């Protein structure tokens, strides 16, 4: 069944560091080519980066900052997605800055995506979405989330010649 497969998959990603030298070299080559778009990750704020406490800001989830910054430092585009708006969105931005979490935009598409698609849709345009509301829920740790993202990014970059 799907759940058995997912359980086996999760046990694999818990034990493995998904970045190898070949992938790192491919990322560096890719980042140096201005004609390619970097892998884009949309990350939900409440219940994904922080524990849910709306309208307040919950406690930072263990290692969320470490792994989000690692993805950012690899050159991936990081978009923070939140249903917060106005002052509540400002609270989230302040929290992200205070905790040193690196990102490119919050609740906005990348300018190059807007230009490419010739529109700015309401849904953030990304290659992968990390959100507690996904069909099967979030993995137990940010280390697992990170490894899943790396697997998806490897497939993305393999398709680009």
């Amino acid at each position: 069944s799907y759940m058995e497969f997912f359980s086996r998959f999760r046990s694999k990603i818990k034990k493995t560091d998904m970045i190898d030298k070949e992938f790192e070299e491919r990322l560096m080559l890719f980042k140096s080519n201005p004609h390619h778009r970097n892998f884009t990750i949309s990350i939900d704020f409440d219940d994904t980066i922080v524990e849910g406490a709306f309208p307040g800001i919950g406690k930072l989830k263990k290692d969320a900052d470490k792994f989000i910054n690692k993805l950012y430092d690899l050159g991936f585009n990081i978009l923070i997605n939140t249903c917060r708006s106005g002052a509540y969105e400002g609270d989230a931005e302040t929290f992200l800055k205070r905790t040193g979490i690196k990102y490119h935009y919050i609740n906005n598409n990348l300018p190059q995506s807007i230009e490419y698609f010739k529109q700015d849709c309401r849904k953030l345009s990304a290659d992968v979405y990390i959100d507690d509301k996904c069909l099967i829920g979030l993995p137990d740790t940010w280390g697992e989330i990170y490894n899943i993202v790396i697997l998806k990014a490897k497939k993305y970059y393999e398709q680009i010649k």
Side-chain angles (χ1 to χ4, degrees):
S1 80
Y2 178 76
M3 291 312 284
E4 289 170 354
F5 165 79
F6 187 66
S7 178
R8 285 194 308 273
F9 177 73
R10 287 181 79 173
S11 67
K12 176 185 173 190
I13 61 168
K14 285 181 180 181
K15 300 174 185 169
T16 310
D17 182 2
M18 298 294 170
I19 294 201
D20 53 41
K21 194 70 176 160
E22 181 183 335
F23 182 61
E24 279 186 30
E25 290 170 3
R26 190 167 178 84
L27 274 177
M28 293 307 117
L29 281 172
F30 192 86
K31 285 195 312 190
S32 66
N33 185 339
H35 301 293
H36 290 293
R37 181 183 62 78
N38 287 347
F39 192 76
T40 301
I41 305 164
S42 172
I43 307 173
D44 179 49
F45 184 74
D46 289 296
D47 290 311
T48 303
I49 296 174
V50 299
E51 301 292 336
F54 186 83
I57 304 274
K59 181 181 169 198
L60 179 69
K61 287 202 171 187
K62 186 178 185 320
D63 294 329
D65 53 346
K66 171 183 156 186
F67 286 108
I68 293 170
N69 288 344
K70 216 169 162 181
L71 293 166
Y72 182 99
D73 292 342
L74 283 170
F76 298 140
N77 296 313
I78 305 294
L79 305 177
I80 304 299
N81 185 32
T82 180
C83 290
R84 293 170 176 263
S85 62
Y88 298 125
E89 182 180 328
D91 293 342
E93 287 184 80
T94 299
F95 177 87
L96 293 165
K97 286 183 177 113
R98 186 172 45 80
T99 55
I101 295 176
K102 301 174 188 175
Y103 64 96
H104 294 89
Y105 295 95
I106 185 166
N107 285 345
N108 284 299
N109 282 302
L110 294 166
Q112 56 267 39
S113 293
I114 296 167
E115 183 178 324
Y116 178 80
F117 292 110
K118 303 201 181 345
Q119 64 176 343
D120 186 9
C121 62
R122 292 184 327 157
K123 180 178 179 179
L124 294 182
S125 179
D127 298 297
V128 68
Y129 298 84
I130 303 171
D131 194 317
D132 64 293
K133 301 290 192 272
C134 74
L135 183 62
I136 53 176
L138 285 175
D140 295 331
T141 69
W142 264 93
E144 292 175 75
I145 292 169
Y146 173 82
N147 283 337
I148 293 169
V149 169
I150 295 302
L151 283 174
K152 288 188 168 283
K154 281 182 176 182
K155 288 181 182 175
Y156 172 84
Y157 287 115
E158 284 170 3
Q159 294 173 1
I160 300 168
K161 303 294 178 205

